[in-house]
Amino acid sequence: MSNFSQLKDLVMGLESDFEKFYDKNNSAAGTRVRKGMQELKNMAQSIRTEVQNAKNSAAGAAPAAGKAAPATKKAAPAAAKKAAPAAKKK
């Protein structure tokens, strides 16, 4: 849960810069907001990777006994596929 608390702290720390940028038109605060949002993006990606790895290692280590294999999806019929866009007129 430390990832969650770090995420909350980052978002709450950006609150004042958001207010300064949007309410007071402080461009330096906008730079700090952009930097914080990049950190948020990187943290989110790190957490996603960590969760996926934990999920995959748990699924591979202990397969559920007695459950049937999940059904695979069938391919969509050709008619249901999206048509190519029409050519532009000159």
Side-chain angles (χ1 to χ4, degrees), residues 5-80:
S5 61
Q6 287 177 349
L7 195 64
K8 283 193 328 186
D9 291 343
L10 179 59
V11 171
M12 296 309 292
L14 290 172
E15 183 177 14
S16 65
D17 288 327
F18 268 97
E19 290 173 358
K20 289 176 186 175
F21 178 71
Y22 285 109
D23 296 340
K24 299 176 183 176
N25 297 322
N26 182 332
S27 62
T31 302
R32 291 189 297 271
V33 166
R34 289 180 53 236
K35 180 182 178 190
M37 294 304 293
Q38 184 65 38
E39 290 176 24
L40 182 65
K41 176 184 168 190
N42 292 338
M43 187 181 294
Q45 183 61 45
S46 172
I47 292 170
R48 289 185 73 236
T49 303
E50 182 181 320
V51 168
Q52 186 67 38
N53 290 339
K55 186 177 118 182
N56 288 343
S57 66
K67 289 190 176 181
T72 58
K73 289 186 178 181
K74 293 182 181 179

